[in-house]
Amino acid sequence: MQRPAPANLPPLAPAALEHSEAAAAHLRAAIASNGGWLPFDHWMAEALYAPGLGYYAAGNVKLADADDGAKTPAGDFVTAPQLTPLFSRTLARQAAEVLRQTQTQTVLEFGAGTGALAEGVLRELDALGLEQTRYLILEVSADLRARQAERLAAFGDRVQWLDALPNTFSGCVLANEVLDAMPVSIFAWGDGGAVLERGVALDASGAFTWEDRPAPDALAAAVAARMPALPGYVSEINMQGEAWIAAMGSWLERGAALLVDYGFPRSEYYHPQRAGGTLMCHLRHHAHGDPFTAPGLQDITAHVDFTAMADAALAAGLQVLGYTSQARFLMNAGLMDLLTQLDPSDAQAYAQAVAPVQKLLSEAEMGELFKVLAIGRGMQEPLTGFSRGDRLGKL
């Protein structure tokens, strides 16, 4: 059995419901095989990535195209590269600076979605005279990988897909909305200052339910080092994201990684008023907070603690090159220059091109919630994207 869905979610087709029940059965079996309780990060990993069943591994349409003409786009959410090609073109300008500074010719993108970012970056790099740039993609979803291959076919063998992390890499790394999709541990502060780990169990009807247990020593120590004890406080910690960045320290020989995601510095992430954490789910363009709804059909995310990611980079011997809001980064990196290239004589086309840019820049939309963190090795000159409004001092 599954718990009732939150109110106002759209109805799901019978085939989707059947798939979700299969995913739920897989999750129940995983809980049973672990003694009746599964740490949330393990549960989230299965819900998102279980072969053939998880959200990112089951062939569902996950990402909407904002320009497909439909009143209600397909998929569950829209990312910045799908809103407007100007996002990708601006990011390409910063990537070009990294490639030229390091005298390299390779871009590596993690989690390339529909391929919209890759297409826009490659086209802009070509326009900037970097036609020899190779583009590598590491994608865990076979469905999205197929969509990327179709979209990027015109670039031939300049685009290649990897099945595992490279042993060594020099160039520019791109990761747009990657960290937020990595499985997170959920912790709670108990009475008396004990750190509890939140996991998933089954109630008498077989429905998923929360259950807290004493946190392992490593998790308890990590939590205690980041915030004071606040009984009743619940939040997340992304140990997998930190491990991913730590691993980058072993394979990134020269270059920079541009990490774009929604999140906060630690002082805001673990603010006393954010006592319920940041866990969020996306289903057919509806955002809600219940990860147990429609497993296998919805995305599950958590905001990023950018202080933790910067600390992981420094500990791995990487440079922390810049940290700022998405709006400031895009304006620094050349978005306004690209806007001046639009033809305002066609008022309707111009308005259609500018409207999504306002969403990217607006403090009430993506402009402030999304941040850009740059880390790297062997970079000698500052990056233009952080030339004004760098917030490294707030991490």
Side-chain angles (χ1 to χ4, degrees), residues 86-318:
L86 292 174
F87 176 86
S88 304
R89 293 180 63 191
T90 306
L91 204 61
R93 291 189 165 202
Q94 184 64 95
E97 186 177 325
V98 172
L99 296 177
R100 285 171 171 153
Q101 189 180 142
T102 57
Q103 298 183 329
T104 55
Q105 295 182 315
T106 310
V107 173
L108 168 60
E109 183 181 359
F110 285 85
T114 63
L117 179 62
E119 181 181 30
V121 168
L122 280 165
R123 293 196 185 285
E124 186 67 15
L125 290 176
D126 288 354
L128 294 171
L130 298 175
E131 302 93 338
Q132 302 304 313
T133 302
R134 294 191 311 134
Y135 204 99
L136 307 178
I137 296 175
L138 186 59
E139 176 61 65
V140 299
S141 168
D143 171 48
L144 291 176
R145 183 165 170 165
R147 295 174 68 185
Q148 295 157 16
E150 181 178 357
R151 183 167 196 158
L152 303 172
F155 297 99
D157 59 6
R158 288 177 63 190
V159 181
Q160 297 178 6
W161 283 262
L162 305 179
D163 295 320
L165 284 168
N167 292 323
T168 60
F169 177 82
S170 293
C172 184
V173 178
L174 302 178
N176 181 58
E177 294 195 53
V178 170
L179 287 166
D180 68 86
M182 292 185 180
V184 294
S185 297
I186 297 182
F187 66 86
W189 281 102
D191 295 335
V195 179
L196 306 174
E197 181 173 20
R198 183 151 292 183
V200 185
L202 300 173
D203 66 15
S205 69
F208 301 116
T209 187
W210 296 112
E211 183 179 306
D212 295 346
R213 294 188 177 184
D217 291 345
L219 177 60
V223 172
R226 300 175 192 215
M227 66 171 295
L230 297 173
Y233 192 98
V234 177
S235 193
E236 311 86 25
I237 188 167
N238 191 346
M239 305 302 289
Q240 183 168 320
E242 294 173 43
W244 179 68
I245 287 181
M248 194 181 299
S250 69
W251 56 260
L252 181 61
E253 292 189 331
R254 189 170 78 260
L258 305 175
L259 313 178
V260 186
D261 228 311
Y262 42 88
F264 317 99
R266 181 168 298 159
S267 60
E268 296 178 31
Y269 197 100
Y270 296 123
H271 192 282
Q273 293 181 349
R274 189 168 281 113
T278 71
L279 199 71
M280 187 60 61
C281 305
H282 301 273
L283 177 64
R284 307 298 190 266
H285 297 277
H286 288 70
H288 65 95
D290 184 4
F292 301 152
T293 294
L297 298 180
Q298 68 172 356
D299 193 18
I300 306 171
T301 72
H303 288 49
V304 177
D305 172 1
F306 281 102
T307 303
M309 302 307 154
D311 286 348
L314 292 172
L318 297 170

Side-chain angles (χ1 to χ4, degrees), residues 47-86:
L48 294 181
Y49 301 108
L53 293 171
Y55 178 76
Y56 283 105
N60 294 301
V61 176
K62 303 161 185 68
L63 308 171
D65 286 317
D67 57 355
D68 65 359
K71 288 185 178 180
T72 303
D76 299 298
F77 51 89
V78 177
T79 62
Q82 295 161 283
L83 279 174
T84 169
L86 292 174

Side-chain angles (χ1 to χ4, degrees), residues 342-355:
L342 298 177
D343 181 6
S345 62
D346 185 338
Q348 183 176 358
Y350 184 79
Q352 289 177 340
V354 171

